[in-house]
Amino acid sequence: MTSANDAERELRVAVIGYGKGGEVFHAPLVDATAGLRLAAVVTGNPERQAAVRSRYPGAEVIPSVDELWKRAGDIDIAVVTTPNETHAPLARAAMESGFAAVVDKPFALTAAEGRELAEDARRLGQVLTVYQNRRWDSDFLTLWKLVEEGALGRVHRFESRFERWRPEAQGTWRDSGDPEAGAGVLYDLGPHLIDQAVNLFGPVESVYAELDARRGAAADDDSFLALTHTGGVRSHLWMSAVAAQLGPRFRVLGDRAAFTIRGLDSQEERLGNGERPDAPDWGVEPESAWGRLGTDADAHEVR
């Protein structure tokens, strides 16, 4: 049974990894969230250790996960934000060491591995979840509201894109690593697009995919998925590093109206610039970034 003191106690969080995921998407949000305390960051990289100490002087820097596992009595939650192939093994080790685990996307490299991880959590009686930050993008929340209100009528097609123009592959594991280890845009951006589609339109009965590597590396950098939902909606999802002109972020077609919006939600850029996500205008987009709802003959901006 949980006591009142337990309910009021801050949950102490350790972020494992301080690349872009840890630095931009996890540590700032943990630090700004009431009820959470950024207790530690795990990284063996000296430059990243220095960056953590400079920005979060109250957080302990722990050089390895082996040292973290010894601290289960001092820390409650382990956030896994490391290369993709390590997500499931580190999450399992965290739970077995007594930590609740939050796992960055992709949750696992295969469905079978994901189910095994969920079963481990049940067996251990431990909390396990996946981190899907794009559920809180302002454009997606606007779209979700429009769909629920029936503003588009019956939706029959959902188009969603994460596209970039990076014609030269970088020497990173994500760009040039082995697809079997989770490299490529499908594992990088696909989880966001698929998660949003399933949240909006429900289970999927069939999938068609095109995966291409156009920059000479082994990992895919220009990919497309077509999902057919059991309710009849078709989702077309693009993810690319080689789009010299970007398509709309969302284009959603219904039998009464369509919704189109361009550009990315601003939260990632603001986090990358070092802003805190507890600012009063967080998630608020300027009118120039609003989407359009309606038909070609009669449309208006919505936020």
Side-chain angles (χ1 to χ4, degrees):
M1 185 172 69
T2 303
S3 69
N5 288 338
D6 288 336
E8 295 172 2
R9 181 175 66 83
E10 284 186 319
L11 292 171
R12 300 156 298 182
V13 181
V15 173
I16 304 174
Y18 202 69
K20 182 177 181 180
E23 181 179 14
V24 175
F25 292 117
H26 290 280
L29 293 166
V30 172
D31 188 54
T33 300
L36 299 180
R37 178 164 64 87
L38 184 62
V41 175
V42 180
T43 176
N45 181 297
E47 292 183 1
R48 293 175 180 176
Q49 290 177 341
V52 173
R53 293 188 178 104
S54 174
R55 186 169 181 183
Y56 305 107
E60 181 181 0
V61 175
I62 299 177
S64 71
V65 290
D66 290 335
E67 290 300 312
L68 175 64
W69 303 150
K70 302 172 185 177
R71 304 290 300 281
D74 303 321
I75 297 172
D76 306 293
I77 302 170
V79 176
V80 178
T81 175
T82 51
N84 293 345
E85 65 179 333
T86 67
H87 286 186
L90 286 176
R92 181 174 293 109
M95 291 189 295
E96 289 176 344
S97 298
F99 296 82
V102 178
V103 187
D104 209 338
K105 56 78 190 170
F107 180 66
L109 294 186
T110 66
E113 187 177 50
R115 293 188 186 101
E116 290 172 4
L117 202 56
E119 181 55 38
D120 288 339
R122 285 188 287 270
R123 173 176 56 83
L124 295 165
Q126 192 53 271
V127 175
L128 170 69
T129 190
V130 64
Y131 181 74
Q132 287 286 13
N133 58 308
R134 293 292 181 176
R135 294 180 185 180
W136 286 270
D137 280 2
S138 57
D139 48 15
F140 177 65
L141 293 176
T142 295
L143 173 58
W144 196 329
K145 180 173 181 286
L146 294 173
V147 171
E148 287 193 333
E149 291 175 347
L152 289 82
R154 182 176 176 82
V155 174
H156 54 267
R157 186 177 305 280
F158 171 58
E159 299 176 7
S160 178
R161 293 171 173 82
F162 273 151
E163 294 178 327
R164 300 162 175 164
W165 176 232
R166 298 176 181 171
E168 299 297 329
Q170 304 299 306
T172 64
W173 67 264
R174 199 182 301 276
D175 258 12
S176 302
D178 185 349
E180 295 294 322
V185 295
L186 178 61
Y187 277 110
D188 183 25
L189 302 176
H192 293 310
L193 301 178
I194 296 165
D195 181 71
Q196 289 180 340
V198 171
N199 270 276
L200 282 171
F201 302 114
V204 173
E205 63 183 25
S206 67
V207 179
Y208 165 79
E210 298 173 1
L211 307 181
D212 291 299
R214 303 192 184 279
R215 298 179 298 180
D220 65 294
D221 53 22
D222 185 30
S223 297
F224 169 76
L225 296 179
L227 314 180
T228 301
H229 298 265
T230 56
V233 177
R234 295 188 187 275
S235 290
H236 286 179
L237 313 177
W238 288 265
M239 57 225 77
S240 179
V242 291
Q245 293 188 19
L246 308 185
R249 173 69 185 90
F250 292 127
R251 180 173 178 262
V252 191
L253 306 180
D255 60 9
R256 287 180 51 195
F259 174 72
T260 304
I261 190 166
R262 292 183 173 274
L264 287 176
D265 175 273
S266 65
Q267 294 177 74
E268 177 178 349
E269 181 180 6
R270 294 180 67 178
L271 286 167
N273 290 336
E275 294 187 51
R276 284 182 59 87
D278 52 1
D281 66 341
W282 196 259
V284 178
E285 302 292 341
E287 189 170 352
S288 60
W290 294 2
R292 288 183 62 79
L293 171 68
T295 67
D296 279 341
D298 181 18
H300 61 278
E301 282 73 23
V302 294
R303 64 172 178 174

